Amino acid sequence: MKHRSVSQLTTYAQCGESYRLSKVAKAPERPTAWSIHGSAVHYGIEEYELSHRDMTVEQVQELALSYYDKGIAEELEQSPDYARWLTGGNKKGETDIADRRKLVSDQTKIYIDYAEAHDDEWRVWPVGPKGMACELEFTIDIGGVRVLGYIDQIREYRDGRIAPIDIKTGTKDPGSAMQLGVYAKAIEENMGVRPESGAFFFPRIQRNGTLKGEVWHDLTLWDDDLLAREFSNFDKAERAGIYIASPSDYCRVCSQQDNCRVKGVPGIKERYAEITERPQRAS
């Protein structure tokens, strides 16, 4: 049986056409610097925590920037035309790449400063195969569906609370805490305790000069029945080949915008329009 994930479910729910193009048709995507930016910040934070916070800000920044530069260079080899790069706005591709490189440096420092300022409140839970609950892989059954995921952090608070944390390098709150709810279930199945709350952490300074920081969510709403229904319905619909296009403001940052049957580029979108089934694989 194939694995499912929270990102697959949310992409499918947001736009079935985008999901079909990426996961089924395997259509080529337009490059983005924001995905490499996010991965670089996550990498730097993970290495910092795995060092038991012995690394300096400069050392973490160097690691994260090296990761970013390597990822950008590899992507540019495949897509050297900056005009093809999505930026989510009116920026040129090369400008967005440079701006996000600075963000990588800034956001790793913001995280470290925040972690050290709250050192007496929480630490990353010292569990898991790495010795710290960072980028913790899990596979669990939800409603008969195998779900694979990675938890950015599990924090252990001084008052005894355990909480899953997902680090967001973008600006928007996901709106739904389902991702954290799945993490809570995974923690219960693997560690025997189910967190009642979790947070998205934004290492970003807002326009008013304050840190956006933690956005907390009540995870008791995401009980086993609700999670099972969501994943089971998604799995059944996707296996039935149901992919509904949902044109919205999201289209401007969709990496499949050229290939979309609804809003794609004539002469390009037709190449992938009829692909609704994956190549058959042995089970």
Side-chain angles (χ1 to χ4, degrees):
M1 180 187 295
K2 67 181 72 174
H3 289 98
R4 299 298 191 187
S5 69
V6 172
S7 63
Q8 287 178 8
L9 193 160
T10 53
T11 299
Y12 182 87
Q14 185 172 54
C15 181
E17 173 70 350
S18 179
Y19 178 96
R20 179 189 71 83
L21 288 164
S22 294
K23 304 298 184 182
V24 182
K26 304 295 185 182
E29 302 183 37
R30 291 182 63 177
T32 65
W34 63 66
S35 58
I36 302 169
H37 155 210
S39 296
V41 174
H42 279 75
Y43 175 69
I45 290 173
E46 179 185 10
E47 291 301 309
Y48 169 70
E49 292 292 359
L50 290 177
S51 77
H52 300 279
R53 301 187 175 178
D54 284 340
M55 294 177 68
T56 65
V57 170
E58 292 74 20
Q59 288 173 326
V60 178
Q61 287 174 321
E62 183 179 355
L63 279 179
L65 288 172
S66 176
Y67 184 104
Y68 180 78
D69 291 342
K70 181 175 184 291
I72 292 294
E74 291 173 351
E75 194 63 58
L76 281 171
E77 284 187 11
Q78 300 298 318
S79 303
D81 182 1
Y82 286 115
R84 290 279 304 154
W85 285 64
L86 284 178
T87 65
N90 296 320
K91 285 184 182 181
K92 294 181 178 180
E94 56 267 46
T95 302
D96 189 55
I97 289 171
D99 288 349
R100 290 185 181 278
R101 190 179 194 277
K102 183 176 186 305
L103 268 178
V104 169
S105 182
D106 290 346
Q107 289 184 322
T108 51
K109 183 179 188 305
I110 288 170
Y111 175 84
I112 293 171
D113 289 347
Y114 181 86
E116 293 182 352
H118 294 80
D119 186 69
D120 61 341
E121 298 175 27
W122 61 269
R123 281 281 188 132
V124 172
W125 203 12
V127 298
K130 299 178 183 179
M132 301 288 284
C134 297
E135 301 296 331
L136 195 61
E137 180 179 353
F138 66 85
T139 304
I140 57 175
D141 181 281
I142 300 180
V145 179
R146 292 176 68 193
V147 177
L148 171 69
Y150 297 85
I151 305 174
D152 286 351
Q153 293 181 349
I154 305 176
R155 291 182 186 173
E156 180 181 27
Y157 286 81
R158 303 305 188 208
D159 61 8
R161 287 180 298 128
I162 299 297
I165 305 296
D166 193 74
I167 297 166
K168 300 294 187 188
T169 54
T171 58
K172 293 184 178 179
D173 190 308
S176 167
M178 180 186 65
Q179 177 182 13
L180 297 172
V182 171
Y183 292 170
K185 179 174 175 57
I187 293 169
E188 179 183 38
E189 293 203 5
N190 289 281
M191 282 87 169
V193 56
R194 188 153 186 162
E196 294 186 351
S197 62
F200 297 113
F201 179 79
F202 295 81
R204 180 178 285 269
I205 303 301
Q206 302 176 102
R207 290 182 179 178
N208 62 8
T210 64
L211 173 67
K212 184 167 184 179
E214 298 166 348
V215 178
W216 286 90
H217 291 269
D218 178 6
L219 304 185
T220 61
L221 305 173
W222 294 94
D223 59 21
D224 286 357
D225 288 342
L226 179 55
L227 291 174
R229 186 161 61 248
E230 294 293 293
F231 275 96
S232 178
N233 287 342
F234 160 52
D235 188 65
K236 291 174 183 176
E238 200 274 344
R239 287 179 184 276
I242 299 172
Y243 306 106
I244 301 173
S246 303
S248 68
D249 185 56
Y250 167 73
C251 296
R252 66 185 179 84
V253 294
C254 177
S255 59
Q256 291 290 356
Q257 58 184 236
D258 292 350
N259 307 315
C260 177
R261 285 183 289 192
V262 178
K263 303 181 75 171
V265 178
I268 296 178
K269 63 181 182 179
E270 292 82 5
R271 300 172 190 171
Y272 308 99
E274 303 305 320
I275 303 176
T276 58
E277 293 185 2
R278 299 170 186 265
Q280 294 296 314
R281 295 180 182 178
S283 58

